Amino acid sequence: MSAIDKPRCRKDFKIAIICAKQEESDAVEGLFDEFWKDYIEGIPEEDPTSYTMGRIGNHPVVLAFMGRMGKKRAASLATSLNFSFPGIKLSLVVGICGGVPTITRDGENIEVLLGDIIISTLVVQYDSGYQMPNDFFMRNTLESNLGPPNDQIQSFLAKMQGMKGRKELKDRTYHFLNELLEKEDFKAWKYPGADKDRLYEPDYRHKHQDASFCNTCARCTNKDHEICESARSSSCDELGCNPNNLVPRNRLKVQKPQLLIHFGRVASGDTVMKSGHHRDKIASETKLVAFEMEGARVWSHSPTIVIKSVYGYSDSHKNDRAQKYAAASAAACAKRLLEEWRPTGILAPPKAPVGRTNRSETLESTKSIIRKIVDEAEGLLKKRGKESMKDDLEAARQGFLQALAESEPFGSSRRLLLLLLLRTYWGLMVVEKELSFYRSLESAEKIKHVKEAEKYNTEAAKVVSRLPDTSTRIQVTLEQNILKGRRALLEFGQGADMDMVKKLRKDAVEGIDGALREMKMKDQAIFNRNVKLALQWRDRFTKSLYQDHIA
């Protein structure tokens, strides 16, 4: 693609960059070669993520703003991104990370300094494993963790790690970094100096070193003891951390050491690593080179490379002085990688109207894509755990919505997709119904979710009306009346008009009775599967509304 070519639509964007912090996205935007606003219109209302679109080198790129750090937010963003930009083939997670101070390559120990860049060859979830009585054991096999990158990324990274690839990567990264730091808005982002790069002994705690200042910190004599809250947010200078406990580094003997780029395993988790002792223990056991918080969930959604620059050493000693320089370094490296990245698909020009055979093939291809999306979304509904339930529901919702978007262009030919559409609308209905039971939500929010569920139920009923399947139609009708009764209970809790509430309840009970009667006549097996739950709801609706029915 030449520098002047522009995508025809959002689906033609193949590369995404994901940033969690403001400094990270600022640095990436600073290296865009061109900005485009043409594609903002039409991004679905259901997508809460903000984007910048434009060109970096010869690639159309979409930059996604997370707004906050962590795996859960990253998972939600990745799902939204795939929904609004379904053509994404490569995601770059770009920003800052906590580094492991010394890594081993080819049998040689290499010092890692602030501003050095880490490129992932694998992402592992370091807070996923087994908590035993005396220790935590991380899942540390490809089978039990996230698995390797795809063949294209593995081949690309192998090239970049070669002698020629490393030299050009370093030279061009320096070029883009200097180019960025020369811009007016980034002149204060320069390397903070070797004297600000401080690595303390792993068991030397970040606390008030003067025992008379704080009783809590005075009692902290080993890695398991607590420190006071004020110490957590204070600098080493403010706390009096002793320079005698600094680890000497050979690379810091010059005032501005050369920036190095390291490849290796990156640890990703919701737990912020702030312990030199645990950092070294995990790194030695698993050969990790850095710790961060977003890569794991993005990795699960699309082919991903994590590009992070070291701003601290994953220990308790607070040091934000290198944060902006690190963000700039990572952005510069990402731009260099994109110079070398070769997309596997070429954007084809718009096609002329095709004949019956090609259209049939296109429909079959679309059905295959939608089936995969729906299968994954339904898998989230089935496998969600208590801690991640709401995130998984949201991810499932975005998946089902993506399935709808994929089927939209086929208009009257949707009859070929009816069963997939039915599964999609039914899945969306289940998501909204489940969300209406969250205790943390206000009643008004719960009602909103029930109404959304009713809307999707109505769409499911429209699809069913075009299918010769009486049993499915009755199941949709049964669910419609359960939702109606659920809304009656919630409306009552909000002080709605009693006549309206009583009518909703009466209609729901009669509708359930009618659906069960018809179901028993038409399909005994389906009746047996549904009758118990349906009668539980019916009994709930027929009890006095003056009792506390609200979930």
Side-chain angles (χ1 to χ4, degrees):
M1 172 177 287
S2 70
I4 60 171
D5 286 336
K6 290 177 65 175
R8 299 186 306 274
C9 60
R10 283 181 284 111
K11 194 171 183 178
D12 287 344
F13 282 84
K14 306 300 181 186
I15 295 171
I17 296 178
I18 297 170
C19 295
K21 296 175 68 68
Q22 186 72 58
E23 294 91 341
E24 298 169 350
S25 55
D26 283 347
V28 171
E29 284 188 313
L31 288 170
F32 266 72
D33 296 301
E34 189 178 355
F35 292 99
W36 301 324
K37 296 184 178 179
D38 319 39
Y39 308 96
I40 295 176
E41 293 295 327
I43 290 179
E45 293 181 1
E46 295 85 358
D47 184 351
T49 305
S50 293
Y51 302 101
T52 290
M53 287 146 282
R55 178 177 61 83
I56 295 180
N58 289 331
H59 296 285
V61 173
V62 53
L63 169 62
F65 297 77
M66 281 182 60
R68 66 178 187 274
M69 302 173 76
K71 286 192 307 182
K72 291 183 179 180
R73 172 60 186 135
S76 175
L77 179 144
T79 304
S80 299
L81 179 66
N82 287 339
F83 176 48
S84 295
F85 296 85
I88 295 299
K89 302 298 183 186
L90 174 68
S91 294
L92 304 181
V93 182
V94 179
I96 60 177
C97 67
V100 175
T102 303
I103 62 175
T104 302
R105 187 174 77 226
D106 300 330
E108 178 187 357
N109 288 336
I110 299 172
E111 293 177 343
V112 175
L113 300 185
L114 302 185
D116 279 4
I117 297 164
I118 307 294
I119 298 175
S120 67
T121 56
L122 189 71
V123 172
V124 295
Q125 299 183 84
Y126 72 92
D127 53 0
S128 171
Y130 310 94
Q131 181 64 62
M132 305 301 285
N134 62 336
D135 207 351
F136 177 83
F137 295 91
M138 192 178 93
R139 298 178 189 268
N140 191 31
T141 65
L142 292 181
E143 290 77 16
S144 61
N145 223 289
L146 296 173
N150 65 23
D151 290 346
Q152 186 186 10
I153 289 178
Q154 289 190 59
S155 175
F156 176 70
L157 293 179
K159 174 186 175 181
M160 301 311 293
Q161 290 179 79
M163 188 180 298
K164 178 175 179 290
R166 280 182 179 273
K167 182 181 185 307
E168 292 178 348
L169 177 60
K170 182 179 176 181
D171 291 346
R172 293 296 287 167
T173 296
Y174 259 120
H175 169 78
F176 290 127
L177 177 59
N178 291 330
E179 181 182 275
L180 179 65
L181 296 180
E182 286 301 314
K183 296 183 178 182
E184 189 63 35
D185 292 338
F186 296 94
K187 287 188 175 179
W189 290 41
K190 296 185 184 296
Y191 179 67
D195 58 318
K196 303 297 190 299
D197 192 332
R198 301 173 185 174
L199 171 65
Y200 287 90
E201 295 164 351
D203 290 322
Y204 182 67
R205 297 293 299 277
H206 184 73
K207 63 172 188 172
H208 290 101
Q209 305 301 329
D210 183 350
S212 65
F213 189 87
C214 170
N215 290 332
T216 302
C217 289
R219 291 192 295 270
C220 174
T221 58
N222 65 44
K223 63 181 177 61
D224 297 319
H225 290 168
E226 286 293 318
I227 63 172
C228 73
E229 281 301 318
S230 127
R232 297 180 196 278
S233 58
S234 300
S235 69
C236 288
D237 292 337
E238 292 168 331
L239 297 179
C241 292
N242 194 334
N244 292 329
N245 292 95
L246 288 170
V247 177
R249 324 292 304 280
N250 289 327
R251 286 181 61 200
L252 291 177
K253 291 179 179 178
V254 296
Q255 180 56 27
K256 188 176 181 181
Q258 284 196 342
L259 177 152
L260 295 184
I261 301 173
H262 313 279
F263 293 80
R265 288 184 167 196
V266 173
S268 185
D270 283 326
T271 305
V272 181
M273 178 57 69
K274 286 288 186 181
S275 165
H277 172 83
H278 292 94
R279 171 202 67 204
D280 289 350
K281 178 177 182 293
I282 293 174
S284 65
E285 291 172 352
T286 58
K287 309 304 180 188
L288 298 172
V289 297
F291 294 85
E292 61 92 62
M293 298 184 69
E294 297 81 35
R297 288 299 176 95
V298 179
W299 189 282
S300 300
H301 285 76
S302 67
T304 300
I305 301 175
V306 176
I307 307 164
K308 296 287 182 92
S309 181
V310 177
Y311 86 101
Y313 292 114
S314 303
D315 58 13
S316 59
H317 296 277
K318 183 177 174 60
N319 183 5
D320 294 335
R321 289 169 175 162
Q323 197 168 100
K324 290 183 176 180
Y325 177 74
S329 300
C333 185
K335 184 163 185 175
R336 166 54 192 163
L337 288 179
L338 288 180
E339 273 192 323
E340 285 293 317
W341 179 259
R342 176 182 60 83
T344 54
I346 304 298
L347 294 181
K351 294 181 179 180
V354 295
R356 183 182 301 274
T357 302
N358 285 343
R359 182 164 179 79
S360 175
E361 290 173 357
T362 303
L363 283 169
E364 287 304 314
S365 173
T366 300
K367 285 169 67 177
S368 176
I369 292 170
I370 297 172
R371 186 176 293 111
K372 182 176 183 295
I373 296 169
V374 172
D375 286 345
E376 290 177 355
E378 287 180 340
L380 286 167
L381 290 182
K382 293 174 184 176
K383 296 178 182 178
R384 62 188 184 276
K386 289 185 178 179
E387 291 184 0
S388 62
M389 187 179 292
K390 196 164 185 179
D391 289 310
D392 289 341
L393 283 171
E394 182 58 35
R397 187 221 303 262
Q398 296 296 342
F400 288 126
L401 289 172
Q402 184 182 348
L404 284 180
E406 290 286 346
S407 66
E408 188 67 38
F410 290 91
S412 61
S413 296
R414 278 191 175 188
R415 62 183 179 277
L416 300 176
L417 305 168
L418 287 178
L419 291 176
L420 285 172
L421 279 172
L422 178 59
R423 288 171 59 193
T424 300
Y425 284 128
W426 190 268
L428 284 164
M429 179 192 71
V430 171
V431 169
E432 297 296 343
K433 181 181 174 183
E434 293 270 2
L435 288 171
S436 77
F437 285 96
Y438 272 83
R439 294 183 182 274
S440 59
L441 296 180
E442 298 291 334
S443 291
E445 281 294 305
K446 293 180 180 181
I447 292 171
K448 179 181 176 183
H449 284 301
V450 172
K451 288 181 176 179
E452 283 294 301
E454 289 181 296
K455 179 183 80 174
Y456 291 125
N457 178 276
T458 300
E459 293 299 325
K462 291 177 183 177
V463 175
V464 170
S465 69
R466 298 165 65 186
L467 291 169
D469 187 339
T470 304
S471 297
T472 303
R473 176 184 58 76
I474 301 170
Q475 282 185 284
V476 172
T477 301
L478 178 63
E479 194 64 37
Q480 178 188 53
N481 287 287
I482 290 174
L483 289 170
K484 192 179 294 183
R486 169 75 176 151
R487 179 156 59 90
L489 297 181
L490 290 168
E491 295 277 13
F492 172 72
Q494 283 287 90
D497 177 71
M498 278 301 297
D499 290 337
M500 184 269 288
V501 170
K502 287 179 179 178
K503 184 178 187 309
L504 277 176
R505 183 188 62 167
K506 180 174 179 293
D507 290 346
V509 171
E510 291 177 353
I512 290 172
D513 288 343
L516 287 176
R517 281 195 300 271
E518 189 175 5
M519 195 176 286
K520 186 173 177 64
M521 291 172 55
K522 301 287 186 182
D523 195 322
Q524 184 67 40
I526 292 180
F527 173 81
N528 292 339
R529 286 202 301 268
N530 287 275
V531 63
K532 184 176 179 181
L533 182 62
L535 290 178
Q536 286 176 350
W537 278 111
R538 183 190 185 284
D539 290 345
R540 193 173 181 187
F541 300 152
T542 54
K543 288 179 182 177
S544 170
L545 285 175
Y546 293 99
Q547 296 178 13
D548 180 18
H549 293 298
I550 307 303

